[in-house]
Amino acid sequence: MTQQPFSRPGAIDLSALKRPAQPTPAPGGGAPRAPGGGAPAGGAPAGPSSYAVQVTEENFQGVIEASMGAAVLLAFYSRTRMPESGDLAADLVTLSAEFEGRFLLGLVDIDAAPQIAQAMQIPSIPLVVAVVDGRPMPLFQDVLPIEELRTALTQVAQQLTTQGITGRHQPRAAAGAPGADGAGAPGAEGEDAEPPVDPRYAPAQDALGDGDFDRAVEEYHKLVTANPADSEAVAGLAMARLLQRTAGVDLDHARAAADAAPDDLDAQTLVADLDLLGGQVDEAFTRLIELVRRTSGDERNTAREHLVALFGAVGNDDPRVLKARGRLASALY
């Protein structure tokens, strides 16, 4: 699976999630998924979700405008041409409910709304596009298991947070429900309404948006102290600390220092941090695992703890983290 890169706050860049396009089968190719596993063939993806809307020519502009306050995902699919693309859309409907307004899902049936597909120059289906501040950015172009989708969207949400994009959408009519194809589209809760922000995370997210990483660490630490099981706060704290450690660091200088001193703990962990932020997650993990393998005593323990902190920043359920944990165990024992 193609994974979400991490980057410093600024213009969001989700392009590394883009995957090679899958060939679109001829009409009728592939059997629809059984009830309970996706959407019925020929229809809109099953729901319900208060954070998904069927996109039409009439409400398309409103859906795009909704991205000015919080992220929008557009899922392009066709039950007629590729039933599996409808299954993907159905899984995204399910996940949109889980994320509770962190993004609004717009479902675009390219057979029912071909003009939208043409206007956005859709090369193939399925295609999932993120829209932030009206700017579309491809995420992925293939059918993924729902567990991998959940991991990818969690990483997208984390990156949005680090870049100060913290708005949430108001719940609305569920996809496929009366009003969800137009009247219940974005704007039903008020065109000018400001998307709500979960008040628990607002101080930390505001600090990240301001580039005040010290304050962000402090705010996330309060949340984790109050509820150590708050996975979003734990991940936010790990990312805020990562941004705090690397603020103002010159990558080229740091990499040259690490190359000159391969066993220097501080130099190696700093480059691992920078690699992670640059989207080179596996490289960051490998650097620290090899450092663990070469060191001993307190230095080895420090390198191990640093690596575990990076696991938290990426997400402990991420496949790359699970793989790296196995490699770390081998290096230790």
Side-chain angles (χ1 to χ4, degrees):
M1 166 184 174
T2 306
Q3 299 290 345
Q4 170 68 22
F6 294 89
S7 61
R8 296 178 181 277
I12 187 168
D13 178 14
L14 302 177
S15 60
L17 272 176
K18 187 175 180 179
R19 302 194 57 164
Q22 299 292 316
T24 303
R33 189 152 57 176
S49 169
S50 297
Y51 303 100
V53 60
Q54 194 70 38
V55 179
T56 66
E57 291 182 51
E58 290 73 22
N59 69 13
F60 175 66
Q61 187 60 39
V63 172
I64 297 300
E65 290 174 358
S67 73
M68 303 307 291
V72 169
L73 298 187
L74 297 178
F76 295 86
Y77 71 98
S78 168
R79 276 288 174 187
T80 301
R81 308 184 199 189
M82 187 180 185
E84 295 89 345
S85 67
D87 296 338
L88 174 69
D91 286 341
L92 287 168
V93 170
T94 298
L95 292 173
S96 71
E98 292 184 14
F99 279 80
E100 297 181 330
R102 196 64 182 86
F103 63 85
L104 173 68
L105 175 65
L107 300 162
V108 186
D109 182 341
I110 66 170
D111 297 317
Q115 293 85 349
I116 295 176
Q118 292 171 5
M120 295 198 67
Q121 300 180 340
I122 302 306
S124 63
I125 55 170
L127 174 66
V128 179
V129 174
V131 185
V132 178
D133 292 336
R135 294 177 291 132
M137 294 153 283
L139 293 185
F140 44 82
Q141 293 179 273
D142 59 353
V143 177
L144 304 175
I146 191 168
E147 294 80 7
E148 293 190 21
L149 281 175
R150 183 180 288 110
T151 297
L153 294 180
T154 298
Q155 293 176 342
V156 169
Q158 289 174 348
Q159 185 183 1
L160 291 171
T161 297
T162 65
Q163 295 174 347
I165 303 169
T166 59
R168 290 180 183 262
H169 293 277
Q170 294 277 4
R172 61 194 69 235
D181 59 350
E189 300 296 327
E191 288 288 347
D192 298 325
E194 188 70 20
V197 174
D198 189 322
R200 294 174 299 167
Y201 307 115
Q205 293 170 348
D206 289 345
L208 287 173
D210 294 339
D212 189 343
F213 305 133
D214 293 340
R215 181 161 56 93
V217 167
E218 180 182 348
E219 295 296 340
Y220 275 124
H221 188 267
K222 292 178 184 177
L223 294 172
V224 173
T225 300
N227 181 14
D230 186 339
S231 58
E232 184 170 343
V234 170
L237 177 59
M239 180 57 72
R241 283 174 170 165
L242 179 61
L243 292 165
Q244 182 187 50
R245 292 194 300 267
T246 57
V249 174
D250 181 270
L251 175 59
D252 293 336
H253 182 272
R255 195 174 295 282
D259 290 344
D263 293 326
D264 185 298
L265 183 65
D266 291 338
Q268 298 302 319
T269 55
L270 179 58
V271 172
D273 287 345
L274 294 167
D275 281 345
L276 193 76
L277 287 172
Q280 297 171 290
V281 177
D282 290 329
E283 290 84 348
F285 290 168
T286 296
R287 180 180 292 272
L288 292 185
I289 289 170
E290 292 305 313
L291 186 62
V292 167
R293 197 184 305 277
R294 295 195 305 269
T295 53
S296 60
D298 290 342
E299 284 197 342
R300 167 181 271 202
N301 190 54
T302 300
R304 181 191 62 80
E305 290 179 348
H306 197 99
L307 177 58
V308 170
L310 295 192
F311 289 163
V314 175
N316 288 316
D317 293 331
D318 188 286
R320 295 167 298 180
V321 171
L322 298 176
K323 181 179 178 181
R325 283 189 183 280
R327 295 170 56 208
L328 173 60
S330 297
L332 287 168
Y333 307 108

